[in-house]
Amino acid sequence: MKQRIVTGLVAGLGFFIMLYLGGYWFAGLIVALALIGYDEFLRMNGLNRNRVIQVIGYIGVVVLTLPWQFGFMSSAQGIWLFLFLFLAATRDHEEQNDDRSRSDGFLGMAYVGLGFHYMIETRTIPDHGLFLTLLVFLCIWTTDSGAYFTGSMIGKTPLWPTISPKKSVEGAIGGTVLSVIVAIGFAWCRPDLLGYAQAVWIGLVIAVVGQVGDLVQSAYKRVKGIKDSGMILPGHGGGARSDGQLADRLPVSACGFP
């Protein structure tokens, strides 16, 4: 836990500095995180040795992650272009470049690229980008941390035992309540930008969607039989052990945003 907290604080400080600077600083950070996320996806699916998939996927992630005004094309154009490139990739039996690997590589590219893209898009909203981005990320992190600590202290009812035995209903509720409180705090600070009713809905939606996404990721890692999806930040990553047991985690890894 000490390692997790120290790592989270150091990584969080660097993230907030780039977030405050905005512009190309924040965009560059998000693109780098997207590439790390896609690399983790390739490793999870055993595609990290497939050079064709790697090259096309990495380029596609950069194109899709960058805001359209910074990049070269729209999301629809990028999706169609890289779909064509993945489909046109030459088969190579040594690289195991079959239909499944190409479809997995394309799916990961679209999922990671578009997901990280909207982090940059939110930050570039005129005048209010910093406020809204902070709102989203703090609600996400509060949900994760609140669910972890609430579940550790009073969690008794399993949330989804076949996927994540250590996650509890009490923890999920605790994380959701804290997310709503944080959103209300933002409304209190800037009532001209965010109403209280809007804040409650935003906090609730972020908490629910975030926790569902967390469970989906845990299920995916269980299917793949891996423990950690990420190894960049010490103490973060979590997931399924190879024997099917699930390791509890405090999901603050920068690559755990989507």
Side-chain angles (χ1 to χ4, degrees), residues 125-135 183-199 202:
I125 295 175
D127 301 323
H128 312 317
L130 180 60
F131 175 86
L132 294 174
T133 306
L134 281 173
L135 168 64
I184 291 175
F186 272 79
W188 180 78
C189 292
R190 292 296 303 272
D192 56 316
L193 296 181
L194 183 65
Y196 287 104
Q198 289 177 309
I202 289 174

Side-chain angles (χ1 to χ4, degrees), residues 142-151 154 168-181 207 211:
T142 300
T143 299
D144 289 340
S145 301
Y148 179 86
F149 288 111
T150 303
I154 62 173
S168 65
V169 173
E170 292 82 1
I173 294 174
T176 301
V177 170
L178 287 177
S179 175
V180 171
I181 291 174
Q211 292 184 83

Side-chain angles (χ1 to χ4, degrees), residues 155-173 208-220 222-223 240 244-248:
K156 295 181 180 180
T157 308
L159 179 62
W160 195 346
T162 58
I163 296 299
S164 187
K166 292 188 177 181
K167 288 184 173 62
S168 65
V169 173
E170 292 82 1
I173 294 174
V208 172
V209 173
Q211 292 184 83
V212 170
D214 188 32
L215 288 170
V216 170
Q217 186 184 33
S218 294
Y220 193 78
R222 173 184 281 274
V223 170
Q245 297 295 321
L246 289 179
D248 203 356

Side-chain angles (χ1 to χ4, degrees), residues 4-76:
R4 290 180 174 186
I5 293 175
V6 172
T7 302
L9 289 175
V10 173
L13 177 61
F15 178 83
F16 279 120
I17 291 174
M18 294 296 102
L19 174 60
Y20 176 77
L21 293 174
Y24 288 102
W25 291 98
F26 186 65
L29 172 65
I30 295 301
V31 169
L33 293 177
L35 289 171
I36 293 172
Y38 187 66
D39 182 72
E40 293 177 356
F41 180 88
L42 293 178
R43 288 190 294 101
M44 289 173 65
N45 289 276
L47 300 175
N48 54 312
R49 295 181 180 179
N50 192 316
R51 300 305 178 190
V52 176
I53 297 299
Q54 282 185 315
V55 172
I56 298 175
Y58 288 141
I59 296 174
V61 165
V62 173
V63 171
L64 292 179
T65 301
L66 286 173
W68 314 140
Q69 62 267 30
F70 292 176
F72 310 103
M73 59 191 71
S74 68
S75 59

Side-chain angles (χ1 to χ4, degrees), residues 1-12 148-149 227-228 230-238 248-254:
M1 176 56 65
K2 181 180 179 181
Q3 184 184 50
R4 290 180 174 186
I5 293 175
V6 172
T7 302
L9 289 175
V10 173
Y148 179 86
F149 288 111
K227 180 179 183 293
D228 294 328
M231 300 182 294
I232 302 297
L233 300 180
H236 298 284
D248 203 356
R249 70 189 187 98
L250 181 60
V252 200
S253 169

